[in-house]
Amino acid sequence: MKYEEVKANDNTSTIKQFVLLGFSDLPNHQQLLFGVFSIIYVIIVSGNSLIIIITRLDKALQKPMYFFLANLSSLEICYVSITIPRILVNLWTQDRSISVLSCASQMCFFLMLGASECFLLTVMAYDRYVAICNPLHYPLVMNQKKCTQLAVGSWIGGIPVQIGQTCQIFSLDFCNSNQINHFFCDIPPILKLACGDVFVHELSVYVVAI
């Protein structure tokens, strides 16, 4: 399916929807790609779900390390569910259009979960640090209450920053094109469509990442 490229005039955003061009250059392999991504998605969801179930049911795994591992598995399920289902819909229906609101929502959740993953990996590293360097104090330091607080903090820690960053990016005027050269709404391809100088926005992305 071909899509008309939309451009705005007079530096004013008139774009109401975007078009995700990812894999559109492989028109004869859409069904194959759909099958491959479906299998990948099922493997990721079932594998991580199995980890969550095992860590919940096995009493020998009721330890902070496995508690955080179960959280990481839950995060991975959410993470891939932001992008892969949309890819599957695009491949199946050949309709690659996505509204500006849907695109912003996808980016926001993708960034929030990405930040949560970074925080959670940091917490897991801290857990191993305490276990190795302070083994006698480990049960006291990494008690159930502390683990829950660290896990909750990891999940919600990046929400305010990423919501602000998403609002900042989508407050720009998009006048270059409505075609996103990617398979989901990510920051770099979105910024390429914006009018004017986006150096400050690109810099803020690097600052937040660091």
Side-chain angles (χ1 to χ4, degrees):
M1 181 180 292
K2 294 183 178 179
Y3 294 91
E4 182 180 356
E5 185 175 1
V6 177
K7 295 185 178 181
N9 297 319
D10 301 325
N11 292 331
T12 303
S13 177
T14 59
I15 294 175
K16 302 300 181 184
Q17 66 177 15
F18 294 107
V19 176
L20 297 167
L21 297 180
F23 306 115
S24 61
D25 56 340
L26 301 171
N28 298 325
H29 299 85
Q30 300 297 295
Q31 292 182 347
L32 175 62
L33 290 171
F34 179 85
V36 170
F37 280 107
S38 297
I39 293 172
I40 291 174
Y41 185 61
V42 170
I43 292 174
I44 293 174
V45 173
S46 58
N48 284 287
S49 298
L50 185 61
I51 292 175
I52 296 170
I53 293 171
I54 292 175
T55 54
R56 293 288 294 176
L57 297 181
D58 193 338
K59 293 183 178 180
L61 301 180
Q62 303 300 312
K63 299 177 181 179
M65 179 175 67
Y66 299 105
F67 170 75
F68 292 128
L69 183 61
N71 273 269
L72 185 62
S73 294
S74 301
L75 186 61
E76 288 298 323
I77 292 175
C78 297
Y79 203 54
V80 298
S81 296
I82 297 299
T83 55
I84 294 185
R86 181 74 202 193
I87 295 173
L88 294 177
V89 170
N90 292 346
L91 292 172
W92 182 259
T93 63
Q94 295 299 297
D95 182 8
R96 301 178 184 278
S97 60
I98 181 172
S99 67
V100 173
L101 179 60
S102 297
C103 189
S105 299
Q106 186 185 55
M107 177 187 290
C108 187
F109 281 107
F110 181 78
L111 294 177
M112 287 192 298
L113 292 172
S116 297
E117 185 174 31
C118 292
F119 289 137
L120 189 57
L121 290 173
T122 303
V123 169
M124 294 175 72
Y126 174 72
D127 170 68
R128 292 299 85 202
Y129 166 77
V130 176
I132 295 171
C133 298
N134 297 284
L136 297 179
H137 294 89
Y138 180 72
L140 296 175
V141 176
M142 300 302 293
N143 54 62
Q144 185 176 2
K145 181 180 179 181
K146 177 65 69 175
C147 291
T148 302
Q149 290 174 342
L150 290 172
V152 172
S154 299
W155 278 91
I156 67 176
I159 291 178
V161 176
Q162 301 304 344
I163 289 179
Q165 190 171 52
T166 303
C167 293
Q168 181 186 41
I169 291 173
F170 279 89
S171 65
L172 297 170
D173 289 328
F174 300 102
C175 57
N176 293 329
S177 171
N178 72 323
Q179 298 185 347
I180 301 174
N181 190 22
H182 206 16
F183 51 86
F184 73 98
C185 294
D186 199 5
I187 294 178
I190 292 291
L191 287 179
K192 288 182 179 179
L193 307 182
C195 306
D197 187 10
V198 294
F199 173 76
V200 175
H201 299 279
E202 292 176 340
L203 183 61
S204 68
V205 171
Y206 288 113
V207 170
V208 171
I210 292 173

